[in-house]
Amino acid sequence: MAIRQFKAESKKLMDLMINSIYTNREIFLRELISNASDACDKLYFKSLTDASLAVKKEDLAIHIAPDKESRTLVVSDNGIGMTKEELEKNLGTIAKSGSMDFKAENQSENIDIIGQFGVGFYSAFMVAEKVTVISKAQGSEEAWQWESKGVEGYTLTATEKETTGTEIIMVLKADTENENYSEYLDDYTLANLVKKYSDYIRYPITMYREKSRQKPKPEDAPEDYKPEYESYTELETLNSMVPLWKRDKKDITPEDYNEFYKAKFNDYTDPLRVITSKTEGTATYTAMLFVPGRTPYDFYTKEYEKGLALYASGVMIMEKCADLLPDYFSFIKGVVDSEDLSLNISRETLQKDSQLKLIRNSLEKKIKNELHAMQANEREKYESFWKEFGRQIKFGIYGDYGMHKDLLADLLMFYSAKEKKLVTLDEYLEKMPEGQKAIYFAAGDDAERLAKLPNAQLVLSKEYDLLLCTEDVDEFCLQILQNYKEKEFKNINSGDLGLETEEEKKAAETATEENKDLFEQLQKALNGQVKLIKVNPTLKDHPVSLSSEGGLSMEMEKVLRKMPNNAEGMESTKVLELNPNHPVFEALKAAKAAGDDDKIAKYAQLLYNQALLIEGLPIADPVAYAQMVCTLMQ
Ligand code: ADP
């Protein structure tokens, strides 16, 4: 029989999983139970719309059977089962996104990779040397057997199975000095694991347990009769079956939330925050939402699917209901259970369901308020949230033409040049000295460099704070916002900052008047590269500076240039600013007085290129520039 190979990525990942030092092996059980429970959900849900399927919810169950003699552990369910094709598709590939680049060299990174994918079915290989899956799909006459000993591949053969459902048979690995796999054959350990990780599963998880009881006292028992004991086995349901969100909040520990989150959403990091909500009235629902502790590996890709698990009166009707979450909160995971939704609702009608819209709106507000509360009361946590998902909030502000900016603006945080830490816009406003008219920001890749820009120095010299915006999306986001609580956002390199004194203003006017011809000549020499040359008397030690006019700043130009379809045509309107109090300005004037046109043309190029360098923009001809500097030195 031919051995089928796993997809290449799967092989690598599985290898990592089996051989990694992943300490939390025991979670394999919760993963298998979770799959079994999903399979029961699927079958039950199908039966609601297909009357020919006489499935009763009470009949669906998951069974665990350890056998010490054969060292096998079996997890079985009577859920929907898998066809041959499904076995192949679902268990023949681990990584569904084929483009992932696995960094296999480093052990500590390995753990990360496993966590990022969610361990799923393959976690069985952490404890088993051989895994056999026997499955019969609902509606199918055939049963199929999938079997694998790990990375080498798997076999797929026809087999017999009486009932619909899936059976996972694991032959456990031999114990080693450091690892005791036999404990997973111990009913006490297994019962505890179910309680710990899978208590909330809504189908009974059963196991035969060895018990002991007193034999009935014989009627003719002598005076000194000592009670006798006998052992017997009994089928026990190990889980309480109450979904976590249906339990009384005061009985739920933080560990319960964490374990639930990790089991349900395939994460191995605890969530940052749990948001629970129970409402009655216009929209009756219970929600248990989670802010993940870190960005899912595919979050900023097309593959990521947002959505909340949707339950109607305790029955899962959709695994990821996207309509429940706006895009800017797409990182939220969770469960919504509502009695107002009909059980056999189709996806299409669900989209138009007015009840669903009510729930969505109410959840949106709730999430917003919780994030805001976290910002106010748990700053450290909020900052780590911001690091993971701040980008998404910023996208939310500038997406949909800024429709949601009012909802999201107070969640923003930027790095403050003065405070040297992240601040909210409200905090910025609170610390504003009297007389400050705008919220100043600088945009670029590197905060340190931004703080050294001539205009940054000017703003800071006035005791005004400056937001250093280092993410691509920042400036687009602030431009859509325009202002916050009536204070306008001002890019320090766009347009007139209006920070000069009366004296400086006058000096600028005079210098402009006196050097009109010089400016014209410089402008001509720059051949359309700048729209305007003007005097800026606030530049202090800097001879030149570059600013831009209009809606598109130089930083935005940079960002747009990086985008695949946007290479041409998007250019900012640049203005070259000269410091009239700098010796360089004197040199320009001297060249003009001497009528040295060649020198003026060279100076124009030099100054323009310098200004570009200061802004972190590329210069068109670095070689020519270097040569020009050398000529000057000789
Ligand atoms: P995930 O559960 O995250 O999708 P898994 O690797 O655990 O990933 O499982 C892959 C797929 O195999 C599941 O999505 C499901 O379709 C199928 N599957 C796994 N276990 C079962 C089962 N007991 N019954 C039916 N289908 C199953």
Side-chain angles (χ1 to χ4, degrees):
M1 178 183 15
I3 300 246
R4 293 162 196 248
Q5 297 288 319
F6 287 106
K7 299 263 162 63
E9 303 91 344
S10 309
K11 213 163 152 171
K12 266 192 212 164
L13 191 61
M14 190 186 257
D15 204 20
L16 292 179
M17 171 119 51
I18 299 167
N19 299 313
S20 80
I21 42 167
Y22 197 57
T23 48
N24 214 9
R25 296 213 146 93
E26 62 188 30
I27 55 113
F28 80 94
L29 190 62
R30 112 183 157 196
E31 298 293 321
L32 297 184
I33 289 174
S34 160
N35 283 346
S37 162
D38 288 348
C40 292
D41 270 338
K42 283 176 194 162
L43 183 59
Y44 182 60
F45 185 53
K46 199 167 176 193
S47 76
L48 294 173
T49 49
D50 183 347
S52 71
L53 287 177
V55 176
K56 281 199 255 130
K57 193 147 172 258
E58 312 80 87
D59 296 337
L60 293 166
I62 300 159
H63 184 65
I64 301 179
D67 179 40
K68 287 192 173 133
E69 235 157 83
S70 57
R71 276 189 81 74
T72 54
L73 176 63
V74 181
V75 176
S76 51
D77 65 71
N78 54 358
I80 195 144
M82 282 178 275
T83 60
K84 183 187 178 196
E85 289 69 35
E86 283 165 340
L87 278 167
E88 174 114 53
K89 187 177 105 226
N90 296 335
L91 309 185
T93 345
I94 297 192
K96 279 154 206 145
S97 132
S99 61
M100 288 303 293
D101 174 23
F102 300 112
K103 300 188 194 84
E105 298 83 36
N106 176 314
Q107 279 287 336
S108 66
E109 265 176 306
N110 294 349
I111 297 172
D112 237 44
I113 290 166
I114 292 168
Q116 285 182 1
F117 279 95
V119 277
F121 165 77
Y122 300 91
S123 60
F125 288 98
M126 296 197 296
V127 299
E129 56 182 39
K130 186 169 97 179
V131 179
T132 309
V133 180
I134 297 176
S135 197
K136 184 172 178 182
Q138 180 276 316
S140 168
E141 290 301 313
E142 322 169 327
W144 283 88
Q145 171 175 314
W146 180 100
E147 190 166 272
S148 169
K149 288 185 172 171
V151 280
E152 288 321 316
Y154 59 94
T155 58
L156 204 50
T157 44
T159 186
E160 300 282 314
K161 188 176 186 303
E162 226 165 85
T163 51
T164 299
T166 303
E167 211 174 278
I168 317 254
I169 304 153
M170 288 161 277
V171 178
L172 297 189
K173 294 184 187 180
D175 293 341
T176 65
E177 215 171 291
N178 305 320
E179 284 297 336
N180 174 13
Y181 298 102
S182 300
E183 65 175 329
Y184 303 123
L185 297 169
D186 176 48
D187 72 328
Y188 185 75
T189 308
L190 292 167
N192 275 339
L193 286 179
V194 170
K195 202 81 202 142
K196 181 169 169 192
Y197 294 114
S198 313
D199 190 56
Y200 67 90
I201 294 281
R202 289 171 314 105
Y203 302 98
I205 304 167
T206 58
M207 180 170 70
Y208 281 104
R209 298 196 75 176
E210 191 87 13
K211 302 206 167 161
S212 148
R213 67 184 159 205
Q214 221 175 38
K215 280 188 182 169
K217 190 175 170 182
E219 274 184 16
D220 55 351
E223 284 276 304
D224 58 348
Y225 172 79
K226 287 207 184 74
E228 284 179 29
Y229 292 85
E230 60 178 3
S231 60
Y232 70 104
T233 52
E234 189 181 71
L235 190 66
E236 193 178 299
T237 297
L238 306 174
N239 54 329
S240 75
M241 291 193 279
V242 183
L244 196 63
W245 60 92
K246 286 270 169 80
R247 294 231 304 258
D248 199 337
K249 239 167 117 172
K250 67 178 194 320
D251 298 332
I252 308 178
T253 65
E255 282 72 40
D256 291 336
Y257 283 120
N258 290 349
E259 290 309 336
F260 173 79
Y261 166 77
K262 288 190 281 193
K264 180 97 186 152
F265 302 107
N266 277 330
D267 198 347
Y268 84 113
T269 315
D270 287 339
L272 260 182
R273 193 182 181 91
V274 185
I275 302 172
T276 57
S277 166
K278 206 179 204 126
T279 59
E280 268 155 53
T282 41
T284 308
Y285 71 89
T286 310
M288 185 175 281
L289 311 183
F290 300 87
V291 181
R294 56 184 203 153
T295 328
Y297 72 96
D298 57 352
F299 185 65
Y300 289 106
T301 71
K302 281 201 303 290
E303 273 85 50
Y304 182 80
E305 263 184 86
K306 67 165 182 172
L308 301 174
L310 182 62
Y311 288 73
S313 309
V315 178
M316 183 161 83
I317 56 174
M318 208 188 272
E319 235 174 312
K320 277 187 179 168
C321 179
D323 295 322
L324 280 172
L325 280 180
D327 279 344
Y328 39 87
F329 293 150
S330 60
F331 47 84
I332 297 279
K333 307 260 183 192
V335 171
V336 175
D337 195 343
S338 171
E339 274 151 39
D340 301 344
L341 296 168
S342 119
L343 267 182
N344 46 10
I345 194 165
S346 76
R347 239 158 238 250
E348 293 70 44
T349 39
L350 197 58
Q351 263 169 11
K352 291 183 219 111
D353 194 277
S354 59
Q355 204 58 36
L356 203 70
K357 286 208 180 95
L358 286 174
I359 299 177
R360 175 198 159 108
N361 291 344
S362 149
L363 285 177
E364 174 182 285
K365 270 191 219 105
K366 178 83 188 169
I367 296 168
K368 156 68 205 284
N369 290 342
E370 291 275 336
L371 291 176
H372 200 243
M374 181 153 92
Q375 186 193 61
N377 309 322
E378 293 179 283
R379 182 51 79 95
E380 224 172 279
K381 260 195 187 176
Y382 190 77
E383 283 187 15
S384 79
F385 156 76
W386 192 248
K387 196 172 126 254
E388 302 291 333
F389 302 110
R391 229 175 133 68
Q392 191 65 10
I393 302 289
K394 292 174 191 168
F395 282 134
I397 287 186
Y398 98 92
D400 291 337
Y401 308 99
M403 230 166 82
H404 316 288
K405 60 184 186 183
D406 294 335
L407 177 80
L408 301 173
D410 59 3
L411 295 177
L412 286 172
M413 295 224 287
F414 293 100
Y415 192 80
S416 141
K418 245 170 108 175
E419 307 275 322
K420 308 251 181 292
K421 60 176 187 190
L422 288 170
V423 296
T424 67
L425 295 176
D426 282 317
E427 285 160 358
Y428 184 100
L429 292 187
E430 272 159 34
K431 295 216 166 149
M432 249 165 67
E434 217 163 298
Q436 182 177 345
K437 295 199 177 65
I439 302 174
Y440 296 99
F441 72 93
D445 310 327
D446 180 50
E448 230 171 284
R449 191 183 64 76
L450 288 175
K452 285 186 195 144
L453 288 174
N455 280 338
Q457 297 289 317
L458 170 67
V459 168
L460 290 169
S461 75
K462 306 265 173 203
E463 297 293 311
Y464 299 166
D465 198 358
L466 176 66
L467 301 174
L468 303 175
C469 301
T470 50
E471 271 199 308
D472 284 1
V473 42
D474 286 346
E475 209 179 345
F476 295 88
C477 165
L478 294 181
Q479 198 172 62
I480 282 274
L481 271 180
Q482 287 178 7
N483 46 53
Y484 184 72
K485 303 204 170 152
E486 284 158 32
K487 292 282 183 221
E488 194 191 345
F489 287 103
K490 263 204 164 155
N491 182 341
I492 56 162
N493 281 352
S494 289
D496 203 350
L497 286 184
L499 289 177
E500 63 276 74
T501 59
E502 278 308 311
E503 225 169 283
E504 285 168 334
K505 225 184 224 166
K506 265 217 185 91
E509 272 162 26
T510 323
T512 310
E513 195 54 42
E514 283 173 359
N515 299 289
K516 237 168 141 178
D517 293 346
L518 170 64
F519 286 6
E520 247 166 54
Q521 206 172 337
L522 288 169
Q523 172 118 26
K524 221 168 167 186
L526 287 177
N527 203 10
Q529 293 176 99
V530 300
K531 187 196 164 204
L532 188 72
I533 297 192
K534 68 176 192 187
V535 161
N536 180 349
T538 61
L539 285 175
K540 304 218 152 53
D541 309 335
H542 303 272
V544 277
S545 169
L546 208 54
S547 67
S548 65
E549 267 185 2
L552 190 71
S553 75
M554 290 179 283
E555 193 50 36
M556 289 162 103
E557 176 188 330
K558 256 200 270 178
V559 174
L560 291 173
R561 267 178 198 281
K562 277 191 250 165
M563 293 189 178
N565 308 321
N566 239 328
E568 301 300 325
M570 294 295 243
E571 263 190 52
S572 53
T573 311
K574 298 184 186 66
V575 177
L576 187 69
E577 300 180 355
L578 298 174
N579 182 353
N581 308 315
H582 198 279
V584 160
F585 197 69
E586 292 305 319
L588 278 171
K589 285 206 299 205
K592 178 74 190 159
D596 193 341
D597 295 347
D598 184 50
K599 207 175 212 174
I600 291 177
K602 279 204 177 112
Y603 281 176
Q605 289 301 340
L606 269 176
L607 288 172
Y608 174 61
N609 282 319
Q610 261 186 40
L612 285 174
L613 284 175
I614 294 173
E615 288 304 324
L617 291 164
I619 51 182
D621 190 347
V623 176
Y625 174 71
Q627 268 165 358
M628 232 185 263
V629 174
C630 288
T631 322
L632 266 187
M633 289 176 77
Q634 282 156 12

